[in-house]
Amino acid sequence: PPIADLENTISKNSDVVSVMSPAGCSHVNGFKVDNWKQNLRLIYQCFVWSGSVETRKRKAKSCICHLCGAHLNRLHSCLHCVFFGCFSKKHIHEHAKNKRHNLAIDLLYGGIYCFVCQDYIYDKDMEQIAKEEQRKAWKLQGRSPLLLCIGEKYSMWEPTKRELELLRHNPKRRKITANCTIGLRGLINLGNTCFMNCIVQALTHTPLLRDFFLSDRHKCEMQSNSCLVCEMSQLFQEFYSGHRSPHIPFRLLHLVWTHARHLAGYEQQDAHEFLIAALDVLHRHCKDDNGKKANNPNHCSCIIDQIFTGGLQSDVTCQVCHGVSTTIDPFWDISLDLPGSSTPFWPLSPGSDGSVVNGDSHPSGATTLTDCLRRFTRPEHLGSSAKIKCSGCHSYQESTKQLTMKRLPIVACFHLKRFEHSAKLRRKITTYVSFPLELDMTPFMASSKESRMNGQYQQPVDSYSLFAVVNHQGTLESGHYTTFIRQHKDQWFKCDDAIITKASIKDVLDSEGYLLFYHKQFLEYE
Amino acid sequence: MSKETQMRAAINQKLIEMGERERLKELLRAKLIECGWRDQLKALCKEVIKEKGLENVTVEDLVAGVTPKGRALVPDSVKKELLQRIRAFLAQQST
């Protein structure tokens, strides 16, 4: 491994005096006096990485060789005085020898050249300044289509001293192969806690969330020990530790009871309710450490919001003046009504009879997730008993309401409303709803609706991939939750509390489906 | 300075002033990575390092050892594209 080679080289060289090591050379000491840091920064800003219009103008005019006037030939600037000279034609070398100015900077790449060592040197302090100035200039460059909108140039990871130390003291390396089972771990049922276990399995296999926690991005500022985000972090450590024995999530359960009282107790709870409660607590606890940055309480930048929050657009159209009133509300999940429920459900796919279907076999006319989404986003007449005050007509008028997705979250969670709790009955709707592995959300976007109205063709870009399915078996009174999760691209596993078994894609797609988790395929930069 | 050198200098100035030089650099970097040129250069550098030895090699050794071949290995399509973009930029500037 390359780190070992680097370390060997460093240790071999450490006892040689004027050494070509990454630490730099001793000849910079003459330069590092007085206000050298500021001077060096100025040189970078003006002549190497010019970020602003003024510095660029100055650079364009003055960066030519003082001896021959050329702007090419690897122009260097003397660090001790104002002199620019070609490197290729040795003009800068002449200057260095005549004036005994030992250091020069490469105006193309910012490297520092030492004429005594006769090579480029890497002084830690100077490197630091170079990196900062480069980053600054980069940010100032603005929205060039090539630089995308990252604002930061990609730079390779270089281990810090501390990280090298940690790597040396922990020599065991874990290699992720195509078939490894790291990340898979059972969860002990602590008494009807499968509603919690199934959600934990889905969350620990959400790629972005996993990356966030495994890279230690949570900096806790809560005083007490009751931070749920810290506990999630611990949970991820447990799941990706490589231990194969089931984990006992007693601390998690206790924290949930503390922060979401309505879920406390040993009765079976609703997994969907737990999901929303968990996201809410995590979001609140995250906000505590992002609180200073989040200037808008409705648009938090915590990891939960970044991953799970979408925007649902509601358009209410007055039937008289056709004025549209639009509101956008944040959402963490989309709850979909099913055929067979007491809310009217119109079968939209040809051949679907809308009746309750039990068992494994599904007729070709079965309701699809897309059907449910189409129903969810169809215009709905609000009826004469629900007139809305129209600001255009200044009176109460009949109107239609339509929901569309304004902004889709990175992880879209669909909740199939299988549990009916109306005044007259409490029952579970077991209608089979078929859901796909890949889902195109384009037709349900607010922008698509506008395009369709303008007669434009919408390019499909909102493609989502299924990565977790929570299922409920049994009745409303007594039931059990399990989760299918996607481990690698095409490997699925069934998580049934402490028992993890391999599953086929068919198993997953044939299952009833209660909570469906989809992950956006293509991520964009902010 | 010859007329050609003067013109070169003037074009270069304009490119820097408008920030176009940086954009072209990034475009070039992306193109050279895409076509595998950077990997070829990496291999050439490794050869030079093996020859001179890791402890003794200087940047100058690398520049001298790699530049002629490196220049020759740049695909014509990349050169053409860059040229086109510079032309387009200059045309834009004169309007």
Side-chain angles (χ1 to χ4, degrees), chain A residues 261-281:
Chain A
R261 293 284 160 76
H262 60 289
L263 292 173
Y266 279 109
E267 296 169 353
Q268 178 68 276
Q269 307 286 352
D270 184 343
H272 174 247
E273 268 203 66
F274 175 78
L275 171 67
I276 299 303
L279 290 179
D280 183 52
V281 178

Side-chain angles (χ1 to χ4, degrees), chain A residues 57-116:
Chain A
K57 275 210 163 94
R58 195 178 326 149
K59 176 177 163 126
K61 282 231 180 75
S62 50
C63 286
I64 52 171
C65 175
H66 285 196
L67 283 184
C68 72
H71 64 270
L72 298 165
N73 303 329
R74 288 171 66 196
L75 202 64
H76 279 59
S77 165
C78 175
L79 276 188
H80 300 275
C81 71
V82 181
F83 180 88
F84 297 123
C86 307
F87 194 94
S88 318
K89 301 262 165 84
K90 301 266 189 243
H91 294 158
I92 188 85
H93 297 69
E94 265 181 58
H95 171 86
K97 203 167 86 170
N98 297 341
K99 300 281 177 124
R100 279 194 246 257
H101 290 173
N102 293 332
L103 299 171
I105 183 169
D106 175 357
L107 296 183
L108 264 183
Y109 298 109
I112 311 279
Y113 189 88
C114 173
F115 287 95
V116 183

